[in-house]
Amino acid sequence: MIFLKHSIFQISILVLFSFFCLISCKNKEAVSTDEAISKKGQKDNATQDMIEDIKQRISAFNIENVPYVFNNKKVSILEQKIQSAGGNERLNLLFTYGLELLNAGKTEESIAVLSQLLQLIESKNVQSKSELLYYIKKQLAIAYMRKAEQDNCIANHTNESCIIPISPKAQHILKEGSQQSIKFLNELLALNPNDLECQYLLNIAHMTLGQYPEKVPIKYRIPESHFSNSTKIEPFPDIAANLGVDVNQLSGGTCVDDFNGDGYLDIIASSWNFEDQIRYFENDQMGGFIDRTNDAGLEGVTGGLNLRHADFDNDGHLDFLILRGAWLSVYGSLPNSLMRNNGDGTFSDVTKASGLYSLNPTQTAVWADVNLDGWLDLFIANEWSEAKQSFCELFLNNGDGTFKNIAKEAGITVPGYFKGVASGDVNNDLYPDFYLSDYDGLNTLYINTTKETGKPSFKVADKKVGVSNPKLSFPTWFFDYNNDGFEDIFVSSYSSSEVLPSEMLLRNIKTQTSEFRPLLYQNNGDNTFTEVSLKTNLTEPVATMGCNFGDLDNDGFLDFYLATGDPDFFSIVPNKMYRNVNGHSFEDVTYSGGFGHIQKGHAIGFGDLDMDGDQDIYAVMGGAVEGDVFRNLLFENPMGNKNNWINIVLEGKQSNRSAIGAKIIITIEENQKERKIYNTVDSGASFGGNSLMAEIGLGKATRIKKLKIKWPHNTKPISIFNDVKINQHIKITEGGAIQKLNLPEFSFKKKMAGHQH
């Protein structure tokens, strides 16, 4: 049985413990305003039924045996056990109790229990006493650091909190947590100078007090050059708190897109805890967001580590999928939820009615039209284990609001503990191929053979294609990083049970090891790939969870953001931003751009939220256990529209309405040289949710010489437009002309008021 990488402090815990109105057409009209108003906040029967279904399944769990979750309930169970226990049994229970209190977010109580236990062990003659004392002190060091974060980064939050190197604005006001953590860390390093986790945390703790680098001994110090070597770009300020979208929950997913059809991008965010509420924020077109969660009928819709959005029924309204059960094996037997957008501001759960209901643990799926019939299909990559043998599912869209799982007959049979799946077109035949990232084995590339067989079908690519690594693989995506017309594959590695992210980071700084680095597979154009991560300067190990790509500076080359961490409280390592240098290499702009957030990062969504021509970034933060919450971020882009750009909304007619899989090829002239920019319409990385609006940087080009669109349909329609104006928002309907969209830009509000909670 495999779970999310086990934290040191969790080891002992883990040991102890209505098919109606779905047939839709592509031009379906929304209901009247009066009807919409009358429905606000109401949930239909199917949505309420799914809420109850999930509650009942969760209520049947053996709480003590489920990893990561139910932390507060586990605390209550342990309290009862301690009352009747004595001797060594009581000591063992106190130890587990102290750790579980930390997991539950009851940090002060955790410190008190662990301190009491430390005194008891010091006064007794017990086996392996020195090792036990070291371990307890290490838990106290991180417990005090978590207290420092709760007192300052959460309770006294600023928009620079927990971003390293820590700025004066973000230094801690309440100092006890960091001071006590430093005390224990110094004791631990005196006993074991090679403990890289303690070395790393010592640097962070001193940063929070304004004492880095002077107070950190040279032998433990992260060199200042590590931060100053970051290539200079303008800082991206976090404005989430100003706008009321700084949801303070656990790890989760996001979708950044236009859900109410007004042209402006909205935000949906989830959190993976079973009781955590899905949140829907509507762009008010005036610089702010309105919490429409209750109005949209989403109250009580909970959980989900990842979200994936698309218009599955071609009615012109974006729907979204909630993925559940990840990392939990047999306890992950929870249904996903397909939330249909009713076009009136509300959503309905149509999982059962659509035929998507299943009970397999997953956090990853992708929408793609596998047979190019104009209807989006759904690939769900599940987490197979001996205890819970969950194979992948390929749901073929029947075109009437229902799906049929055809995975086996389509050749999708490889089992794996899949943490990512991405769709791309390896061989430029328009038919989507799939890349699966396996945390517990080799990765798999499925080549679409539908064109040859006449029915939806896939074959596993030969090993000589060369894309099976890394081991401990996590999120992935397709993109054309070098603008050569062939889609490349990015796949990131993760940490292991032996090596935490903080240790990975320090190993790299001290020895320049490239172990655990992300891999970049360059498409050779002949159905093979070459791994080019070292060649393109991707040398640093990054324990990536969520991520996505976009164009920070509108130069026409795609950059990317990696959100990092793992469940361990020690794993407060910086999220990473990489800027694409003319398709040749990537430069690290993490620290100059203000992206080095050390709280746990998950789903990432790029999108032009203020319609000013550059992409802003929404990031879902927070860890795995109930006490590891943190506020979501929204980075405002201060630089991209200094270059030229175009935003393109595509609408399929024969093709799927969302135009997912459409290829946009732009020819520009820049510095008296002609070049092409390639863009594929999709939501980006496997653990993220970019806008489906194609937001394309044009560099210094003053016009678009040619705009070509290859539509994702088996008839292979093509649209070509010449001499297109730049710096505008346009819509192109398949077979139609360019329509200019009237979407005035706005400035984000400095303060948000009156939004619904």
Side-chain angles (χ1 to χ4, degrees):
M1 182 185 299
I2 184 167
F3 294 125
L4 187 62
K5 197 196 66 52
H6 299 154
S7 317
I8 290 175
F9 64 83
Q10 290 173 309
I11 292 173
S12 60
I13 301 168
L14 290 168
V15 169
L16 294 170
F17 285 70
S18 72
F19 179 55
F20 53 89
C21 298
L22 269 179
I23 299 176
S24 55
C25 67
K26 298 193 177 186
N27 296 308
K28 181 176 178 181
E29 296 294 326
V31 297
S32 71
T33 303
D34 290 341
E35 286 180 275
I37 292 172
S38 71
K39 291 183 179 180
K40 294 293 185 184
Q42 295 183 8
K43 285 186 288 292
D44 57 85
N45 291 336
T47 304
Q48 190 60 49
D49 287 347
M50 183 63 83
I51 292 171
E52 295 303 319
D53 183 329
I54 293 169
K55 284 182 179 178
Q56 289 177 15
R57 293 184 180 281
I58 293 168
S59 68
F61 289 167
N62 183 335
I63 290 173
E64 293 181 78
N65 292 337
V66 185
Y68 308 112
V69 293
F70 295 128
N71 306 113
N72 278 284
K73 292 180 180 178
K74 288 174 183 174
V75 164
S76 298
I77 292 170
L78 285 165
E79 286 172 346
Q80 294 175 357
K81 289 184 176 181
I82 289 169
Q83 291 177 4
S84 59
N88 286 337
E89 182 189 3
R90 179 177 174 82
L91 285 177
N92 287 332
L93 285 171
L94 276 173
F95 178 64
T96 305
Y97 179 53
L99 300 182
E100 201 60 74
L101 282 165
L102 183 60
N103 289 347
K106 298 180 176 181
T107 309
E108 299 273 8
E109 294 95 321
S110 173
I111 290 171
V113 171
L114 291 172
S115 298
Q116 177 191 358
L117 191 62
L118 185 66
Q119 292 175 355
L120 285 170
I121 299 298
E122 285 176 332
S123 66
K124 290 180 179 292
N125 185 19
V126 296
Q127 189 176 8
S128 304
K129 181 175 180 177
S130 59
E131 292 178 16
L132 195 53
L133 288 174
Y134 189 91
Y135 184 68
I136 295 172
K137 286 183 178 181
K138 196 165 181 177
Q139 304 321 304
L140 278 165
I142 194 58
Y144 272 112
M145 194 65 221
R146 186 58 187 162
K147 170 179 165 58
E149 293 166 343
Q150 290 173 322
D151 287 348
N152 296 276
C153 299
I154 297 177
N156 290 293
H157 183 76
T158 78
N159 65 344
E160 295 178 17
S161 292
C162 277
I163 296 175
I164 61 170
I166 304 292
S167 70
K169 180 179 178 180
Q171 288 173 11
H172 289 188
I173 300 169
L174 302 176
K175 302 181 185 298
E176 182 195 2
S178 291
Q179 289 171 340
Q180 289 297 316
S181 183
I182 290 169
K183 171 181 171 291
F184 279 108
L185 290 167
N186 283 328
E187 290 181 20
L188 291 162
L189 288 167
L191 294 169
N192 181 11
N194 296 320
D195 190 324
L196 294 181
E197 294 161 25
C198 289
Q199 287 186 26
Y200 175 77
L201 196 64
L202 185 66
N203 281 269
I204 301 301
H206 277 297
M207 280 186 198
T208 66
L209 300 177
Q211 298 171 352
Y212 169 89
E214 294 81 7
K215 290 290 184 72
V216 183
I218 293 176
K219 60 183 175 180
Y220 303 140
R221 187 183 300 168
I222 299 174
E224 290 176 274
S225 60
H226 177 72
F227 305 107
S228 62
N229 286 345
S230 178
T231 304
K232 299 299 181 185
I233 64 169
E234 289 185 55
F236 281 54
D238 169 27
I239 59 171
N242 296 344
L243 305 182
V245 296
D246 57 332
V247 181
N248 189 29
Q249 291 184 321
L250 299 176
S251 53
T254 191
C255 304
V256 174
D257 220 312
D258 176 19
F259 287 92
N260 63 350
D262 64 359
Y264 289 83
L265 304 183
D266 313 304
I267 297 170
I268 298 178
S270 71
S271 174
W272 93 309
N273 198 31
F274 296 143
E275 296 178 353
D276 286 349
Q277 174 66 52
I278 293 282
R279 303 290 290 276
Y280 170 45
F281 299 101
E282 194 173 272
N283 193 322
D284 69 3
Q285 308 177 31
M286 297 183 293
F289 289 84
I290 303 169
D291 189 334
R292 296 291 192 195
T293 304
N294 185 56
D295 293 344
L298 293 172
E299 195 74 29
V301 178
T302 59
L305 187 55
N306 200 2
L307 306 175
R308 308 299 284 163
H309 69 285
D311 181 1
F312 83 90
D313 54 1
N314 285 335
D315 67 350
H317 309 298
L318 285 175
D319 319 293
F320 69 97
L321 178 74
I322 306 169
L323 296 164
R324 298 190 177 97
W327 300 115
L328 300 181
S329 187
V330 293
Y331 297 103
S333 298
L334 296 170
N336 303 317
S337 284
L338 178 60
M339 305 303 299
R340 180 179 182 269
N341 187 334
N342 299 316
D344 60 359
T346 69
F347 295 86
S348 296
D349 193 313
V350 296
T351 312
K352 292 181 179 179
S354 67
L356 291 183
Y357 187 91
S358 65
L359 299 172
N360 295 304
T362 184
Q363 70 166 64
T364 188
V366 64
W367 294 99
D369 184 358
V370 299
N371 55 355
L372 298 184
D373 66 347
W375 296 90
L376 286 172
D377 312 300
L378 178 65
F379 190 116
I380 302 179
N382 293 311
E383 296 177 358
W384 191 99
S385 64
E386 288 292 343
K388 178 65 175 172
Q389 298 184 9
S390 299
F391 289 89
C392 293
E393 297 161 301
L394 176 58
F395 289 99
L396 191 71
N397 194 326
N398 296 321
D400 60 1
T402 68
F403 295 83
K404 179 186 178 183
N405 183 13
I406 62 163
K408 189 173 182 180
E409 53 261 50
I412 307 292
T413 58
V414 176
Y417 201 82
F418 294 119
K419 301 309 299 179
V421 60
S423 172
D425 183 7
V426 169
N427 51 14
N428 278 345
D429 65 354
L430 277 182
Y431 286 85
D433 311 301
F434 293 118
Y435 184 73
L436 281 77
S437 172
D438 188 348
Y439 180 74
D440 198 30
L442 296 177
N443 299 338
T444 300
L445 175 63
Y446 280 111
I447 301 297
N448 193 322
T449 56
T450 302
K451 185 171 62 173
E452 290 77 30
T453 64
K455 62 180 181 179
S457 59
F458 293 83
K459 67 178 181 182
V460 176
D462 192 279
K463 288 185 179 179
K464 69 180 181 182
V465 172
V467 293
S468 59
N469 286 321
K471 295 178 180 178
L472 301 176
S473 186
F474 207 145
T476 185
W477 68 70
F478 282 86
F479 69 164
D480 187 354
Y481 86 93
N482 56 357
N483 276 327
D484 67 352
F486 293 95
E487 292 185 333
D488 313 298
I489 298 173
F490 179 95
V491 56
S492 198
S493 185
Y494 195 51
S495 54
S496 72
S497 55
E498 291 79 31
V499 184
L500 293 180
S502 54
E503 185 174 349
M504 287 164 45
L505 186 148
L506 275 190
R507 273 190 189 180
N508 177 257
I509 291 173
K510 291 173 181 289
T511 66
Q512 282 75 56
T513 177
S514 56
E515 190 181 14
F516 298 104
R517 74 182 185 279
L519 300 185
L520 177 61
Y521 291 109
Q522 181 176 315
N523 191 330
N524 298 323
D526 60 0
N527 296 320
T528 67
F529 291 79
T530 301
E531 204 283 291
V532 295
S533 57
L534 297 179
K535 177 183 174 183
T536 57
N537 199 36
L538 299 177
T539 61
E540 185 175 348
V542 186
T544 312
M545 295 185 289
C547 50
N548 228 320
F549 58 87
D551 188 352
L552 296 179
D553 52 3
N554 278 338
D555 66 350
F557 292 97
L558 293 170
D559 318 301
F560 61 85
Y561 188 42
L562 305 180
T564 63
D566 71 11
D568 198 299
F569 282 111
F570 269 94
S571 299
I572 47 174
V573 292
N575 298 334
K576 302 289 289 183
M577 180 68 84
Y578 292 91
R579 179 183 172 271
N580 190 329
V581 184
N582 300 320
H584 300 304
S585 63
F586 291 88
E587 56 187 14
D588 188 336
V589 296
T590 299
Y591 303 114
S592 65
F595 297 110
H597 210 292
I598 58 174
Q599 290 299 314
K600 314 299 172 54
H602 289 82
I604 304 296
F606 281 72
D608 187 359
L609 288 159
D610 52 358
M611 289 297 164
D612 66 348
D614 55 28
Q615 290 183 300
D616 311 296
I617 305 162
Y618 189 73
V620 175
M621 307 296 287
V625 295
E626 289 175 4
D628 201 5
V629 298
F630 203 78
R631 298 171 184 267
N632 293 354
L633 317 172
L634 200 171
F635 291 110
E636 181 182 6
N637 191 325
M639 62 182 292
N641 59 16
K642 293 178 182 178
N643 278 329
N644 294 317
W645 53 273
I646 191 164
N647 288 345
I648 306 173
V649 176
L650 296 186
E651 180 181 309
K653 286 296 185 182
Q654 293 184 94
S655 307
N656 71 84
R657 183 75 174 255
S658 301
I660 287 175
K663 296 184 178 185
I664 302 172
I665 306 164
I666 290 178
T667 304
I668 63 170
E669 187 174 290
E670 188 181 46
N671 300 322
Q672 298 180 327
K673 291 183 180 179
E674 186 174 283
R675 72 175 172 107
K676 288 182 168 61
I677 299 168
Y678 294 85
N679 185 289
T680 300
V681 175
D682 62 20
S683 58
S686 61
F687 201 166
N690 285 355
S691 162
L692 296 176
M693 176 170 66
E695 302 160 346
I696 303 173
L698 302 174
K700 299 301 182 184
T702 56
R703 67 185 180 97
I704 295 172
K705 292 183 69 174
K706 183 164 77 171
L707 170 59
K708 182 177 182 179
I709 301 164
K710 295 182 178 180
W711 296 90
H713 191 265
N714 54 42
T715 59
K716 299 192 175 181
I718 293 176
S719 300
I720 296 177
F721 305 93
N722 295 307
D723 199 21
V724 179
K725 291 182 180 179
I726 59 172
N727 299 343
Q728 62 172 337
H729 315 283
I730 63 174
K731 179 177 180 179
I732 302 174
T733 301
E734 185 178 354
I738 291 177
Q739 172 190 353
K740 184 174 181 178
L741 297 175
N742 181 27
L743 299 171
E745 69 174 273
F746 56 76
S747 297
F748 287 116
K749 293 178 180 176
K750 291 184 178 180
K751 274 293 176 185
M752 186 71 180
H755 57 287
Q756 173 186 322
H757 291 285

